[in-house]
Amino acid sequence: MENKTNVIAETHVGRKSSVRPLGRILTQIWLLFRIQFAEIRDSWLWVIGLASMFPFSTLLFLKFYTVDPTPETMMRIITGNMVFAIVVMAINALSQDISWQKHQGHFVFYASLPIYKLNFIFAVFMRGLMMSFPSVIILAIIGQLVYHIEFHYSLGMIPVLLLSVLSCAGIGTAIGFLSPNHQFTNMLSQTLLMFISFLSPVMVTMSMLPKFLQWTAYLFPTTYVAEAFRQLALQGWTSEVTKNVLFLIGYMVLSFLVILKSVQWRVEQ
C-alpha cells in the first residue's frame, strides 16, 4: 500500500511537470508498471508455485500414461503444458484479480489520476506477462528433462512468447473488467480454463476434435499459441509460425481496443 501511495504521489508530481507528450506517456507507463509490480512482488513464490502446479501435474501424468511417445507427441505435451501455464495466470488468475479489485472499488483511485486508460491497460498486460513468464520457462526446462528432448532454440521464441502471453492477458483483462460480479468471473474463468485446456488443440491435434470444437478452437488465441510454440520448438521459425504470430497480433490489438472502449473504473449499480 505504501508503495502504491508513493507511486500515485509521483504521478501527481509528473502531472505538474511540463514534460512532452511522449515523455508523459512513458512516465505514466513506468509508474503504472511499478504499481502492478509492487502488488505481486511479495508473492512471487506463490505465483510461480500455483501457476506451475496444474501444468506440472499434467506433464507428469502424461509421462506416466503415455507409452513410447513419438518426438512430435512429446513436443506437443511439453508445449501444451507451457500453454496451460499461460492460461492459468494470464486468463484465470488475472481475470479474478482484476474483478476482485474492481468490485472492491480499488479502481476509483485510478479514476482520480491524470492517466490514460490505454497506459493502464498496457500496465495490466505487463502484469500478466510477469505472472506467466517464470512458469512457462520452468515448464519448458522440466519438460525437456522429463522427456529427454531438446528444443530448437531461436531468437524468434522471444516475440512469440511475448505475443502469446499478451494475447491471453487480453482475455483475462476483459473478463475481469466486464464481469457483472466476482462470482460470475470465478465461474467463467474456471470453465474457460477447463474448456481451453482439454477441448481445444492445445494437447491434441485439430483433426482429433469433433467438427464443432474445431470451429470454436479458432476463437481462442491458445490455438495459435500452441501451434506457434510447437513449430518453433521442432523446426524453428517457419511460415506457419508467421501465420500464427499474425493471428496473435490481431487478437492482442482487438482485445486491447475492446477493453479500452468498454472499461469502467467504477461498478455500475
Side-chain angles (χ1 to χ4, degrees):
M1 190 64 186
E2 184 180 352
N3 290 325
K4 191 172 180 178
T5 304
N6 291 338
V7 174
I8 290 173
E10 290 180 29
T11 306
H12 282 291
V13 172
R15 179 178 57 174
K16 294 177 182 178
S17 64
S18 57
V19 293
R20 292 177 296 180
L22 179 60
R24 186 185 306 147
I25 291 173
L26 293 177
T27 301
Q28 285 186 15
I29 291 175
W30 171 241
L31 294 174
L32 291 168
F33 171 79
R34 286 177 57 190
I35 291 175
Q36 298 298 322
F37 178 75
E39 290 182 355
I40 63 174
R41 72 173 185 179
D42 294 330
S43 55
W44 269 112
L45 291 179
W46 284 106
V47 168
I48 294 174
L50 292 175
S52 305
M53 184 57 66
F54 176 60
F56 181 67
S57 302
T58 309
L59 184 73
L60 291 183
F61 169 75
L62 291 173
K63 170 66 176 174
F64 304 147
Y65 184 77
T66 308
V67 179
D68 196 21
T70 64
E72 186 172 353
T73 301
M74 290 188 287
M75 190 62 77
R76 187 174 291 281
I77 291 173
I78 298 171
T79 55
N81 280 281
M82 292 165 62
V83 178
F84 281 179
I86 296 176
V87 173
V88 169
M89 297 311 294
I91 296 180
N92 190 272
L94 187 61
S95 63
Q96 295 193 45
D97 198 16
I98 290 176
S99 176
W100 183 82
Q101 290 188 43
K102 175 185 174 184
H103 292 283
Q104 289 291 321
H106 290 199
F107 293 143
V108 174
F109 291 103
Y110 292 100
S112 64
L113 296 177
I115 59 174
Y116 298 114
K117 284 184 179 177
L118 188 70
N119 296 340
F120 176 77
I121 296 169
F122 183 76
V124 172
F125 276 31
M126 290 297 104
R127 177 176 182 163
L129 181 65
M130 288 186 290
M131 292 166 64
S132 308
F133 185 76
S135 295
V136 173
I137 300 301
I138 290 171
L139 286 168
I141 295 172
I142 293 177
Q144 292 177 82
L145 294 174
V146 168
Y147 284 95
H148 307 291
I149 197 168
E150 188 171 345
F151 283 1
H152 184 286
Y153 290 101
S154 71
L155 290 177
M157 289 182 171
I158 298 174
V160 169
L161 180 57
L162 291 174
L163 287 171
S164 299
V165 176
L166 294 179
S167 59
C168 291
I171 296 181
T173 306
I175 292 174
F177 273 117
L178 302 180
S179 293
N181 54 63
H182 190 56
Q183 288 75 17
F184 183 82
T185 306
N186 191 30
M187 288 190 293
L188 181 60
S189 60
Q190 295 291 344
T191 303
L192 204 56
L193 170 65
M194 301 307 293
F195 188 89
I196 291 177
S197 300
F198 300 110
L199 298 178
S200 70
V202 172
M203 299 289 289
V204 298
T205 62
M206 183 72 86
S207 60
M208 295 170 69
L209 297 171
K211 203 68 177 177
F212 76 97
L213 287 180
Q214 292 183 19
W215 284 109
T216 57
Y218 290 116
L219 299 176
F220 298 110
T222 47
T223 299
Y224 313 105
V225 173
E227 187 60 25
F229 276 3
R230 192 179 67 82
Q231 287 286 334
L232 264 176
L234 274 175
Q235 305 174 31
W237 195 284
T238 64
S239 58
E240 280 297 309
V241 176
T242 303
K243 184 180 73 175
N244 287 292
V245 163
L246 292 177
F247 275 112
L248 292 177
I249 292 174
Y251 215 102
M252 186 183 66
V253 172
L254 178 63
S255 61
F256 211 91
L257 294 176
V258 168
I259 297 167
L260 182 63
K261 183 74 176 177
S262 55
V263 64
Q264 298 291 332
W265 298 121
R266 294 179 173 83
V267 179
E268 298 288 343
Q269 300 295 329

